[in-house]
Amino acid sequence: MPSTTLSIPTPDGRSDAFAAYPEQGGTHPGVLLYPDAFGPRPVLWAMARELADHGYYVLVPNVFYRHRPAPVFDLPDHITAEDRPALFGQIMPLIEAHTIERALSDAGAYLDFLTAQPEVGAGPVAAIGYCMGAVLAMRTATAHPDRVAAVAGFHPGALVTDQADSPHRQIPGLTAKVHLGLAEGDMTPEAITEISHAFDAAGVDYSCEIYPGTVHGYTMSDTDAFDAAGSRRHWERLLALLGNTFKA
């Protein structure tokens, strides 16, 4: 499976990135894959390769590029619950520095770069993400409704808040098909109801599903949160969404 590291020009500098794409020639639907809070690392690159094996050009940007290149953090080979407090002491300042303004500025640059690649077909792309990446994927799609046709978010971060700029408040501008794969406890019943009402009011084609028996981070095989059944379900739902969007 061909893969490469890339440098994406942004208004604030250059974002390093990883891309994987099918071996056969021609063009393929583009997928912008936002990582979880631990940032781009081997497990994300392996997931990108797996998705590319299904016929997609997958771009994984380093959203923390303003601080250092990927892998951004000195992570153990397997992240346990005991590792998390110290790691999040390093991670949270970078997350807090990644403001909405920065996220939206980067999103436009990432879409420009992705759609300009010779292996990427014409037309809109997909934005998918994990944990905080699900929030970034949703913000990308709501800010660029003509450029994003599918959104998937797994064990998402805060999609519903009481802030005026909450991601769910931007849904009226959304045109993409959406799947949200929640771990148990990711969102309160009230938050699920609120975001579902927002999707319904906007006429969005969406599904919002709690994956039974999972905890936050269930897709990430380098963590204690990994759940094999939840990961399989995530792949089934993701591939179905992309297939229905790009291959119908």
Side-chain angles (χ1 to χ4, degrees):
M1 186 60 55
S3 61
T4 187
T5 55
L6 299 164
S7 179
I8 302 173
T10 78
D12 289 340
R14 301 192 75 88
S15 170
D16 54 300
F18 175 90
Y21 47 93
E23 286 192 58
Q24 64 268 32
T27 60
H28 314 279
V31 177
L32 178 58
L33 190 163
Y34 284 111
D36 63 357
F38 295 120
R41 60 196 190 280
V43 68
L44 268 299
W45 301 328
M47 292 166 74
R49 289 189 183 97
E50 182 165 351
L51 187 52
D53 195 39
H54 290 275
Y56 301 94
Y57 182 105
V58 187
L59 181 68
V60 186
N62 174 18
V63 300
F64 298 131
Y65 70 89
R66 293 174 180 85
H67 305 276
R68 60 189 73 94
V72 180
F73 306 105
D74 185 14
L75 301 172
D77 290 338
H78 189 84
I79 301 166
T80 67
E82 290 74 23
D83 295 322
R84 286 177 177 266
L87 287 174
F88 274 94
Q90 304 173 48
I91 292 168
M92 286 309 300
L94 274 64
I95 292 176
E96 291 165 0
H98 197 62
T99 61
I100 294 173
E101 291 75 20
R102 285 183 168 183
L104 293 178
S105 173
D106 288 348
Y110 295 154
L111 290 174
D112 287 345
F113 186 88
L114 175 59
T115 56
Q117 299 311 296
E119 300 89 353
V120 176
V125 302
I128 70 175
Y130 301 84
C131 181
M132 62 170 272
V135 175
L136 297 176
M138 184 68 73
R139 290 201 185 278
T140 299
T142 54
H144 301 275
D146 57 330
R147 306 184 73 183
V148 180
V151 177
F154 300 96
H155 42 89
L159 292 173
V160 177
T161 75
D162 58 4
Q163 301 299 309
D165 55 9
S166 172
H168 82 287
R169 301 189 196 280
Q170 316 308 314
I171 287 173
L174 187 66
T175 60
K177 296 179 181 179
V178 177
H179 175 72
L180 299 179
L182 311 179
E184 293 184 354
D186 268 342
M187 295 174 68
T188 66
E190 293 77 14
I192 293 172
T193 296
E194 189 162 357
I195 199 168
S196 297
H197 284 168
F199 285 138
D200 289 334
V204 172
D205 181 353
Y206 77 99
S207 57
C208 183
E209 180 181 3
I210 297 173
Y211 291 12
T214 60
V215 298
H216 186 76
Y218 62 82
T219 62
M220 296 297 153
S221 61
D222 62 347
T223 76
D224 276 354
F226 180 70
D227 181 87
S231 177
R232 286 194 298 272
R233 185 183 295 246
H234 134 267
W235 282 115
E236 290 167 0
R237 299 297 192 267
L238 175 57
L239 292 172
L241 173 72
L242 297 178
N244 290 335
T245 302
F246 295 111
K247 297 179 182 178

